[in-house]
Amino acid sequence: RYRSGAPPARWVLDEQGTAENSARAGGLILPVHRPVLRADASLQLVMDASSSMCVWDRLLGELHQVFRQLGAFRDVQLHYLHEGPDGEPALGRRLEPEPTGLRSADQLGDPTGRRVTVVVSDCAGPLWRTGQAHRLLYRLARHTPVAVLQPLPERLWSRTRLPVSYGALHRGEGPGQASRLGFTGEG
């Protein structure tokens, strides 16, 4: 149900609304347009490509299939997050390192806010140890929703490099779909 704060990409003619408006206007045709909201957002599924994540590659394939079949996203992209030669996060198309095919992870950013990012990681690899993964998540979260899907059981979360905060996520105060999300931590 994610709706970006950005204006809709497309509008279509609302025939029922146009007919009602035109009838009230005494025959003058007053078209009514409505935004196309379904499948407005795209999803990027990003898997941490550290050595400890190899066992979760099948999970990523299944998630990719489920998200594509939902019909809730215009597009579903799949990326692997590697540690580049300079220690910075880099993107590849495969779980195995591709020294020549890596791209900057900054390509994941989307200033329009129409792209949702889901990172699948155990939060224990080299990018997490150096803090590069944290910095990447903060950069991405400035413009678009970002979620980390932790495949480990909850009892192991405290042993990872991503701090755990328990609480409730809620929609903040504001006009309609553009309101910000809020988080209330458990005390």
Side-chain angles (χ1 to χ4, degrees):
R1 293 185 180 179
Y2 170 69
R3 300 284 184 246
S4 151
R10 291 184 359 187
W11 294 79
V12 294
L13 182 67
D14 180 353
E15 293 178 14
Q16 181 69 29
T18 299
E20 290 173 8
N21 253 10
S22 299
R24 277 182 270 178
L28 182 64
I29 298 177
L30 300 172
V32 175
H33 294 89
R34 61 180 165 78
V36 177
L37 298 176
R38 183 141 179 91
D40 185 34
S42 63
L43 177 93
Q44 50 192 5
L45 198 52
V46 181
M47 181 171 172
D48 180 359
S50 63
S51 59
S52 61
M53 288 297 296
C54 293
V55 296
W56 301 108
D57 197 33
R58 182 174 173 191
L59 167 71
L60 183 72
E62 291 170 357
L63 284 171
H64 186 237
Q65 181 180 2
V66 166
F67 283 128
R68 278 189 11 244
Q69 291 175 348
L70 277 175
F73 299 102
R74 176 176 36 86
D75 181 33
V76 179
Q77 299 174 4
L78 185 60
H79 304 282
Y80 290 90
L81 188 63
H82 295 273
E83 183 178 27
D86 56 355
E88 295 285 321
L91 296 178
R93 292 279 176 203
R94 300 178 353 182
L95 183 61
E96 299 81 28
E98 312 167 63
T100 58
L102 295 179
R103 306 174 318 279
S104 170
D106 289 331
Q107 293 179 359
L108 294 173
D110 176 33
T112 67
R114 287 194 173 102
R115 192 180 308 153
V116 177
T117 303
V118 176
V119 179
V120 180
S121 178
D122 62 4
C123 307
L127 289 172
W128 295 96
R129 285 192 297 273
T130 62
Q132 291 292 344
H134 301 85
R135 287 188 278 284
L136 175 64
L137 292 178
Y138 279 111
R139 283 195 308 269
L140 294 175
R142 287 185 194 141
H143 302 289
T144 188
V146 177
V148 176
L149 192 148
Q150 170 61 268
L152 296 176
E154 185 178 353
R155 64 184 167 78
L156 297 176
W157 291 355
S158 62
R159 298 180 186 179
T160 68
R161 298 290 180 156
L162 185 65
V164 177
S165 298
Y166 296 93
L169 185 66
H170 54 86
R171 186 169 297 280
E173 300 294 321
Q177 301 165 354
S179 62
R180 299 189 69 111
L181 294 176
F183 179 78
T184 306
E186 291 179 359

